[in-house]
Amino acid sequence: MQKRNVSGDPSVRLILEEYGFFFESHLSDIEEGYMGKDHHDLPDRAFERGKQYEMRNGGCPQCTLAAIFDVLGLEDDSVFKAATAFADGVGLTGDGHCGALSGGTIAIGYLHGRDRKDFGDMMGLVKANLMAKQLRDRFVDKYGTVR
């Protein structure tokens, strides 16, 4: 089993590489400073930002979300705050999946999940979960574990 490199929130890069199409189809949601520029470097920018956040602040899920939100020009303190307790497998227990994977999964739900008004829409449920499964599978392929 491959040992996972925990520095730099790897799911930041994975989620942005996997869902790079999001940038092309949602340009109006991206911070004005990036408008009209090449968006192919956003995964690298987010990865570096996530790495800096992890070194300064800790809390992989929040570092992942902050980096993704930063490069997309998004801000939602409620979602950011809700990610706090997913650190180190949930509650800093080390007994669960990686907090960066949690942060990436939360970002997928935030960007592609169903709204409360569409709570009964099963396709909305399926879409976000299929994307989350793809992220998880890529994570396992790369690191050999969800830890």
Side-chain angles (χ1 to χ4, degrees):
M1 181 179 297
Q2 188 177 3
K3 186 166 176 85
R4 189 171 77 77
N5 176 3
V6 296
S7 66
D9 281 342
S11 72
V12 172
R13 188 184 304 264
L14 285 174
I15 187 174
L16 292 173
E17 286 173 352
E18 182 70 18
Y19 303 107
F21 69 86
F22 180 80
F23 301 119
E24 303 305 322
S25 61
H26 292 82
L27 290 180
S28 63
D29 294 337
I30 296 175
E31 185 175 51
E32 190 169 332
Y34 293 109
M35 296 300 267
K37 295 182 181 176
D38 182 11
H39 299 312
H40 297 290
D41 67 341
L42 291 180
D44 290 332
R45 285 184 186 199
F47 177 79
E48 288 305 317
R49 196 166 285 195
K51 185 176 183 178
Q52 292 301 312
Y53 285 145
E54 181 62 31
M55 290 178 2
R56 281 193 325 254
N57 309 309
C60 292
Q62 288 182 307
C63 294
T64 301
L65 276 174
I68 292 169
F69 279 16
D70 286 355
V71 300
L72 293 177
L74 300 171
E75 189 173 321
D76 190 326
D77 202 46
S78 295
V79 173
F80 181 79
K81 186 175 181 178
T84 304
F86 287 94
D88 195 21
V90 174
L92 300 174
T93 63
D95 185 28
H97 62 268
C98 172
L101 180 58
S102 294
T105 303
I106 292 167
I108 289 171
Y110 183 82
L111 297 170
H112 301 284
R114 59 187 176 175
D115 294 321
R116 182 66 186 250
K117 66 179 177 49
D118 299 320
F119 198 30
D121 176 14
M122 293 308 287
M123 289 311 296
L125 175 70
V126 170
K127 177 184 174 185
N129 277 283
L130 287 174
M131 294 173 86
K133 182 185 179 319
Q134 288 175 347
L135 176 62
R136 182 229 176 252
D137 291 349
R138 283 194 65 195
F139 198 93
V140 170
D141 288 347
K142 186 165 180 109
Y143 302 108
T145 181
V146 293
R147 282 290 316 131

